[in-house]
Amino acid sequence: MDQRTPFPLSEAQGRRGGPSRLAARIAGLTLVPIALVGAVLVGLTAGEADWPLPAWVPAPVSGLLVRDGAGPAVDAPILYYRDPDGKAAYALAPAKTPDGRDYRPVRIGEDVGFEPKPAEPAGGMPGMAENGARKVLYYRNPMGLPDTSPVPKKDSMGMDYIPVYPGEAEDGNTVKISPGKVQRTGVRSEPVERRVISRPVRVPGTVTLDERRVTIVATRSDAYVDHVENVTTGDRVRKGQPLVDVYSPEINAAAAQLIANPGFDGSRRRLQNLNVPAEVIAEMERTRKVPMAITWSSPRDGVILQRTAIEGMKAAAGDTLFRIGDISVMWVLADVPEYDLGSVKVGQPVTVSVRSLPGRMFTGKVALIYPQVNAQTRTTRVRIELSNPDGVLLPDMYADVEIGTGATKPVVAVPNDAVLDTGARQVVLVDKGEGRFEPREVKVGARDERYTEIRDGVQAGEQVVTAANFLIDAESNLKAALQSMAAPTPPAPQAQGEEKPQ
């Protein structure tokens, strides 16, 4: 009987394949971790040995994979170039500083920041921990109070204390403002330099004659005018030029006595006392004759300011016949206000302009400060001497006087806008850079139209704030007020041996 027992084929195959499938699963679970560990070991070895990665690996991935402990790989792509001193100066292409140094390339994986950073020294950044993180000096109160902590903490309102890193520590007077706020408020600074401070004092004046250069022609006895030369008021005359002929009975009597008694000194002295010119006396002695009239000449070069001599008139002793003034040197009398008088000194340079000669300037010096103040105008008269060789300056002209006051040597000076004057003290804000400002009390001196002398407080080369300084000063005052409110009261000293109260 050809009869077979029925046996399912699938069941038989399943019995034969069961052990092999189990073995495959066990092998897979064992080999995959081994492969991963091996890949990691190979990657670490390749990184330490600086093995080049295949060309098909993308550049950003290679820049992140192949790195050393100090930073990104040397062959990582360059993102941009920055100033080697850490200043806020950047470039997309290689560039140089004004002194010829190359900008530093910043590669993928480096710190991408746009805040100014100080230049890194050769031995590494100071104040860095061993793991490369910045050291925290201490933690300060977020409200600016004089309260610090060596460890992180919160204030009474739950605000975190702010960490202070090396280079950020401030003294009690320094105000720190964020760069964004500095830019928004329009803060500007200028260097302190040595300058000549000269504040001109501008006052009105009047041109007058030099009192020492005015002469009057007159007789010392009663006389009659016989003849007057063809000269009148305003004419220029020279020294020795004849002006008038006069007849005086007293002079003729003295002349007759001189001729009758030659060599008698009394007669000669009498003629000299009557102001008879020496050349006329010598002519009498030579010719032995008494002239009917005596010629009077100009005693100096100048301009005839006044003529009163008229032919035929009788002039009493002492009457003025001519008044002559030398205008080669003129005076300018200026009235200086009392509050400016302290800055005016004898010998200071003066510039004078007259309204009849626009554009022309005359230079001179302060010759005298009159020792009296006008009670009505509260001014003091100052005299300036001016050379007038061409005679264009005339008496009683109006003049505009500018007296150059101040020191002649350079002094330390700041712009006028940099000084904050509270009435009791003067303060400037010193710009220390990186948003740090220090209020500093100064002693001011002379001031001109643009600059103020600083006698103590700042030095040449420092930077002072000239714009928006009122806002910074307000923050400084707020900080000082907060510090004064939070400053603890020091305990009273206790005498030695005194017992503390229970």
Side-chain angles (χ1 to χ4, degrees), residues 360-401:
R360 183 167 180 179
M361 310 298 291
F362 301 86
T363 58
K365 293 184 178 181
V366 176
L368 178 67
I369 301 175
Y370 287 80
Q372 185 178 2
V373 177
N374 190 306
Q376 285 74 32
T377 61
R378 308 309 305 172
T379 59
T380 298
R381 181 155 290 184
V382 174
R383 189 174 75 200
I384 300 104
E385 296 183 3
L386 297 179
S387 178
N388 186 32
D390 50 359
V392 294
L393 292 177
L394 302 178
D396 297 328
M397 276 185 170
Y398 284 111
D400 296 321
V401 180

Short mmCIF file of all heavy atoms in Angstrom, two decimals, residues 360-401:
data_model
loop_
_atom_site.label_atom_id
_atom_site.label_comp_id
_atom_site.label_asym_id
_atom_site.label_seq_id
_atom_site.Cartn_x
_atom_site.Cartn_y
_atom_site.Cartn_z
N ARG A 360 40.58 148.50 8.10
CA ARG A 360 41.94 148.83 8.52
C ARG A 360 42.05 148.69 10.04
O ARG A 360 41.20 149.18 10.78
CB ARG A 360 42.32 150.23 8.10
CG ARG A 360 43.76 150.59 8.46
CD ARG A 360 44.23 151.85 7.78
NE ARG A 360 45.61 152.16 8.14
CZ ARG A 360 46.29 153.20 7.69
NH1 ARG A 360 45.71 154.04 6.82
NH2 ARG A 360 47.54 153.41 8.06
N MET A 361 43.09 148.01 10.47
CA MET A 361 43.31 147.76 11.89
C MET A 361 44.59 148.44 12.34
O MET A 361 45.59 148.46 11.62
CB MET A 361 43.39 146.25 12.17
CG MET A 361 42.24 145.43 11.57
SD MET A 361 40.63 145.89 12.23
CE MET A 361 40.80 145.30 13.90
N PHE A 362 44.56 148.97 13.56
CA PHE A 362 45.73 149.59 14.18
C PHE A 362 46.07 148.78 15.43
O PHE A 362 45.17 148.40 16.20
CB PHE A 362 45.44 151.05 14.55
CG PHE A 362 45.07 151.91 13.38
CD1 PHE A 362 43.74 151.99 12.95
CD2 PHE A 362 46.03 152.64 12.71
CE1 PHE A 362 43.39 152.79 11.87
CE2 PHE A 362 45.69 153.44 11.63
CZ PHE A 362 44.37 153.51 11.21
N THR A 363 47.34 148.54 15.64
CA THR A 363 47.78 147.74 16.77
C THR A 363 48.57 148.60 17.74
O THR A 363 49.31 149.51 17.34
CB THR A 363 48.66 146.56 16.32
OG1 THR A 363 49.79 147.06 15.59
CG2 THR A 363 47.86 145.62 15.43
N GLY A 364 48.39 148.33 19.01
CA GLY A 364 49.10 149.04 20.05
C GLY A 364 49.13 148.22 21.33
O GLY A 364 48.89 147.01 21.31
N LYS A 365 49.40 148.86 22.44
CA LYS A 365 49.46 148.20 23.74
C LYS A 365 48.78 149.07 24.79
O LYS A 365 48.66 150.29 24.62
CB LYS A 365 50.92 147.94 24.16
CG LYS A 365 51.63 146.91 23.30
CD LYS A 365 53.02 146.64 23.83
CE LYS A 365 53.72 145.57 22.99
NZ LYS A 365 55.09 145.29 23.51
N VAL A 366 48.34 148.40 25.84
CA VAL A 366 47.76 149.12 26.96
C VAL A 366 48.87 149.88 27.67
O VAL A 366 49.83 149.28 28.17
CB VAL A 366 47.05 148.16 27.93
CG1 VAL A 366 46.52 148.93 29.15
CG2 VAL A 366 45.90 147.45 27.23
N ALA A 367 48.77 151.20 27.70
CA ALA A 367 49.81 152.04 28.31
C ALA A 367 49.50 152.40 29.75
O ALA A 367 50.42 152.54 30.57
CB ALA A 367 50.01 153.31 27.49
N LEU A 368 48.22 152.54 30.09
CA LEU A 368 47.87 152.97 31.44
C LEU A 368 46.43 152.58 31.74
O LEU A 368 45.56 152.65 30.88
CB LEU A 368 48.03 154.50 31.57
CG LEU A 368 47.67 155.11 32.92
CD1 LEU A 368 48.65 154.65 33.99
CD2 LEU A 368 47.64 156.62 32.84
N ILE A 369 46.22 152.16 32.99
CA ILE A 369 44.88 151.93 33.52
C ILE A 369 44.63 153.00 34.57
O ILE A 369 45.31 153.05 35.60
CB ILE A 369 44.74 150.52 34.13
CG1 ILE A 369 45.04 149.45 33.06
CG2 ILE A 369 43.34 150.32 34.69
CD1 ILE A 369 45.05 148.04 33.61
N TYR A 370 43.69 153.87 34.32
CA TYR A 370 43.45 154.98 35.22
C TYR A 370 42.95 154.48 36.58
O TYR A 370 42.10 153.59 36.64
CB TYR A 370 42.45 155.95 34.62
CG TYR A 370 43.02 156.78 33.49
CD1 TYR A 370 43.14 156.26 32.21
CD2 TYR A 370 43.45 158.08 33.70
CE1 TYR A 370 43.67 157.00 31.17
CE2 TYR A 370 43.98 158.84 32.67
CZ TYR A 370 44.09 158.29 31.41
OH TYR A 370 44.63 159.04 30.38
N PRO A 371 43.46 155.04 37.65
CA PRO A 371 43.13 154.53 39.00
C PRO A 371 41.82 155.09 39.54
O PRO A 371 41.76 155.61 40.66
CB PRO A 371 44.32 155.00 39.83
CG PRO A 371 44.75 156.27 39.20
CD PRO A 371 44.49 156.10 37.72
N GLN A 372 40.74 154.97 38.75
CA GLN A 372 39.47 155.48 39.21
C GLN A 372 38.35 154.80 38.43
O GLN A 372 38.48 154.56 37.22
CB GLN A 372 39.39 157.00 39.05
CG GLN A 372 38.14 157.61 39.63
CD GLN A 372 38.12 159.13 39.50
OE1 GLN A 372 39.05 159.71 38.94
NE2 GLN A 372 37.09 159.77 40.03
N VAL A 373 37.26 154.50 39.12
CA VAL A 373 36.08 153.91 38.50
C VAL A 373 34.99 154.96 38.43
O VAL A 373 34.71 155.64 39.44
CB VAL A 373 35.59 152.67 39.28
CG1 VAL A 373 34.32 152.10 38.67
CG2 VAL A 373 36.68 151.60 39.32
N ASN A 374 34.40 155.10 37.27
CA ASN A 374 33.31 156.06 37.11
C ASN A 374 32.10 155.58 37.90
O ASN A 374 31.60 154.47 37.70
CB ASN A 374 32.97 156.19 35.63
CG ASN A 374 32.01 157.34 35.37
OD1 ASN A 374 30.96 157.43 35.96
ND2 ASN A 374 32.41 158.21 34.44
N ALA A 375 31.62 156.42 38.80
CA ALA A 375 30.53 156.00 39.67
C ALA A 375 29.22 155.83 38.92
O ALA A 375 28.36 155.04 39.34
CB ALA A 375 30.35 157.03 40.80
N GLN A 376 29.01 156.53 37.80
CA GLN A 376 27.76 156.43 37.05
C GLN A 376 27.76 155.23 36.10
O GLN A 376 26.79 154.50 36.01
CB GLN A 376 27.49 157.72 36.28
CG GLN A 376 27.02 158.89 37.11
CD GLN A 376 28.13 159.51 37.94
OE1 GLN A 376 29.30 159.49 37.53
NE2 GLN A 376 27.78 160.05 39.10
N THR A 377 28.85 155.05 35.37
CA THR A 377 28.90 153.99 34.35
C THR A 377 29.56 152.70 34.84
O THR A 377 29.51 151.69 34.14
CB THR A 377 29.66 154.49 33.11
OG1 THR A 377 31.01 154.82 33.48
CG2 THR A 377 28.98 155.72 32.53
N ARG A 378 30.18 152.71 36.01
CA ARG A 378 30.91 151.56 36.56
C ARG A 378 31.94 151.04 35.57
O ARG A 378 32.10 149.84 35.35
CB ARG A 378 29.96 150.42 36.95
CG ARG A 378 28.82 150.81 37.86
CD ARG A 378 29.27 151.57 39.08
NE ARG A 378 30.28 150.85 39.86
CZ ARG A 378 30.93 151.37 40.89
NH1 ARG A 378 30.71 152.63 41.24
NH2 ARG A 378 31.81 150.65 41.55
N THR A 379 32.67 151.98 34.96
CA THR A 379 33.74 151.64 34.03
C THR A 379 35.01 152.35 34.46
O THR A 379 34.98 153.33 35.20
CB THR A 379 33.39 152.05 32.59
OG1 THR A 379 33.15 153.47 32.55
CG2 THR A 379 32.16 151.31 32.10
N THR A 380 36.12 151.83 33.97
CA THR A 380 37.43 152.42 34.22
C THR A 380 38.08 152.75 32.89
O THR A 380 38.05 151.93 31.96
CB THR A 380 38.32 151.47 35.02
OG1 THR A 380 37.72 151.22 36.29
CG2 THR A 380 39.71 152.05 35.23
N ARG A 381 38.70 153.91 32.80
CA ARG A 381 39.31 154.35 31.55
C ARG A 381 40.68 153.70 31.39
O ARG A 381 41.49 153.64 32.32
CB ARG A 381 39.43 155.86 31.53
CG ARG A 381 40.03 156.44 30.28
CD ARG A 381 39.57 157.86 30.07
NE ARG A 381 38.15 157.90 29.71
CZ ARG A 381 37.50 159.02 29.39
NH1 ARG A 381 38.13 160.19 29.41
NH2 ARG A 381 36.23 159.00 29.06
N VAL A 382 40.92 153.21 30.18
CA VAL A 382 42.19 152.58 29.81
C VAL A 382 42.77 153.35 28.63
O VAL A 382 42.04 153.70 27.69
CB VAL A 382 41.99 151.09 29.45
CG1 VAL A 382 43.29 150.48 28.93
CG2 VAL A 382 41.49 150.32 30.66
N ARG A 383 44.07 153.62 28.69
CA ARG A 383 44.73 154.39 27.63
C ARG A 383 45.58 153.49 26.77
O ARG A 383 46.39 152.69 27.27
CB ARG A 383 45.59 155.50 28.25
CG ARG A 383 46.12 156.49 27.22
CD ARG A 383 46.83 157.61 27.92
NE ARG A 383 48.14 157.21 28.44
CZ ARG A 383 48.79 157.86 29.39
NH1 ARG A 383 48.24 158.91 29.97
NH2 ARG A 383 49.97 157.45 29.80
N ILE A 384 45.41 153.62 25.46
CA ILE A 384 46.17 152.86 24.47
C ILE A 384 46.90 153.85 23.58
O ILE A 384 46.32 154.85 23.13
CB ILE A 384 45.26 151.95 23.62
CG1 ILE A 384 44.51 150.95 24.52
CG2 ILE A 384 46.06 151.23 22.56
CD1 ILE A 384 43.08 151.30 24.74
N GLU A 385 48.17 153.59 23.33
CA GLU A 385 48.97 154.44 22.45
C GLU A 385 49.10 153.78 21.08
O GLU A 385 49.45 152.61 20.97
CB GLU A 385 50.35 154.68 23.05
CG GLU A 385 50.32 155.46 24.37
CD GLU A 385 51.70 155.74 24.90
OE1 GLU A 385 52.68 155.38 24.21
OE2 GLU A 385 51.82 156.33 26.00
N LEU A 386 48.80 154.58 20.04
CA LEU A 386 48.84 154.08 18.67
C LEU A 386 49.76 154.96 17.83
O LEU A 386 49.73 156.19 17.96
CB LEU A 386 47.44 154.06 18.04
CG LEU A 386 46.39 153.15 18.68
CD1 LEU A 386 45.08 153.28 17.94
CD2 LEU A 386 46.86 151.70 18.69
N SER A 387 50.51 154.32 16.97
CA SER A 387 51.32 155.06 16.01
C SER A 387 50.44 155.54 14.86
O SER A 387 49.61 154.77 14.34
CB SER A 387 52.46 154.17 15.51
OG SER A 387 53.24 154.85 14.54
N ASN A 388 50.64 156.78 14.45
CA ASN A 388 49.81 157.38 13.40
C ASN A 388 50.70 158.11 12.40
O ASN A 388 50.66 159.35 12.27
CB ASN A 388 48.81 158.35 14.04
CG ASN A 388 47.83 158.91 13.04
OD1 ASN A 388 47.46 158.26 12.07
ND2 ASN A 388 47.39 160.14 13.29
N PRO A 389 51.57 157.37 11.68
CA PRO A 389 52.54 158.05 10.80
C PRO A 389 51.91 158.78 9.63
O PRO A 389 52.42 159.83 9.19
CB PRO A 389 53.43 156.90 10.32
CG PRO A 389 52.57 155.68 10.43
CD PRO A 389 51.68 155.91 11.61
N ASP A 390 50.80 158.25 9.09
CA ASP A 390 50.19 158.92 7.94
C ASP A 390 49.09 159.89 8.34
O ASP A 390 48.46 160.50 7.47
CB ASP A 390 49.63 157.89 6.95
CG ASP A 390 48.76 156.85 7.65
OD1 ASP A 390 48.61 156.94 8.89
OD2 ASP A 390 48.23 155.96 6.96
N GLY A 391 48.83 160.04 9.63
CA GLY A 391 47.91 161.06 10.10
C GLY A 391 46.45 160.79 9.81
O GLY A 391 45.65 161.74 9.78
N VAL A 392 46.06 159.53 9.61
CA VAL A 392 44.64 159.25 9.31
C VAL A 392 43.80 159.22 10.57
O VAL A 392 42.57 159.40 10.51
CB VAL A 392 44.52 157.91 8.56
CG1 VAL A 392 45.16 158.02 7.19
CG2 VAL A 392 45.12 156.76 9.36
N LEU A 393 44.43 159.01 11.72
CA LEU A 393 43.69 159.06 12.98
C LEU A 393 43.59 160.50 13.44
O LEU A 393 44.60 161.20 13.60
CB LEU A 393 44.40 158.20 14.04
CG LEU A 393 44.41 156.69 13.82
CD1 LEU A 393 45.21 156.00 14.91
CD2 LEU A 393 42.99 156.14 13.76
N LEU A 394 42.36 160.94 13.66
CA LEU A 394 42.11 162.33 14.02
C LEU A 394 41.46 162.38 15.40
O LEU A 394 40.79 161.43 15.82
CB LEU A 394 41.19 162.99 12.98
CG LEU A 394 41.71 162.98 11.54
CD1 LEU A 394 40.70 163.62 10.61
CD2 LEU A 394 43.06 163.70 11.44
N PRO A 395 41.67 163.45 16.11
CA PRO A 395 41.08 163.57 17.45
C PRO A 395 39.56 163.45 17.42
O PRO A 395 38.89 163.87 16.46
CB PRO A 395 41.52 164.97 17.90
CG PRO A 395 42.75 165.26 17.11
CD PRO A 395 42.53 164.60 15.79
N ASP A 396 39.02 162.84 18.47
CA ASP A 396 37.58 162.68 18.70
C ASP A 396 36.93 161.67 17.76
O ASP A 396 35.69 161.62 17.69
CB ASP A 396 36.85 164.02 18.60
CG ASP A 396 37.33 164.99 19.66
OD1 ASP A 396 37.69 164.53 20.76
OD2 ASP A 396 37.35 166.20 19.39
N MET A 397 37.72 160.85 17.06
CA MET A 397 37.14 159.75 16.29
C MET A 397 36.63 158.66 17.25
O MET A 397 37.22 158.41 18.29
CB MET A 397 38.19 159.13 15.35
CG MET A 397 38.37 159.83 14.04
SD MET A 397 39.54 158.91 13.00
CE MET A 397 39.34 159.76 11.46
N TYR A 398 35.54 157.98 16.86
CA TYR A 398 35.07 156.82 17.60
C TYR A 398 35.86 155.59 17.15
O TYR A 398 36.19 155.44 15.97
CB TYR A 398 33.58 156.58 17.36
CG TYR A 398 32.69 157.54 18.11
CD1 TYR A 398 31.96 158.50 17.44
CD2 TYR A 398 32.60 157.48 19.50
CE1 TYR A 398 31.15 159.39 18.12
CE2 TYR A 398 31.78 158.36 20.19
CZ TYR A 398 31.06 159.32 19.50
OH TYR A 398 30.26 160.20 20.18
N ALA A 399 36.15 154.71 18.10
CA ALA A 399 36.97 153.54 17.81
C ALA A 399 36.38 152.31 18.50
O ALA A 399 35.72 152.42 19.55
CB ALA A 399 38.41 153.74 18.28
N ASP A 400 36.58 151.15 17.90
CA ASP A 400 36.23 149.86 18.49
C ASP A 400 37.52 149.20 18.96
O ASP A 400 38.41 148.91 18.15
CB ASP A 400 35.52 148.97 17.47
CG ASP A 400 34.19 149.57 17.04
OD1 ASP A 400 33.50 150.13 17.91
OD2 ASP A 400 33.84 149.47 15.84
N VAL A 401 37.61 148.97 20.25
CA VAL A 401 38.84 148.48 20.88
C VAL A 401 38.66 147.03 21.27
O VAL A 401 37.63 146.64 21.84
CB VAL A 401 39.18 149.34 22.12
CG1 VAL A 401 40.47 148.84 22.77
CG2 VAL A 401 39.31 150.80 21.73
#
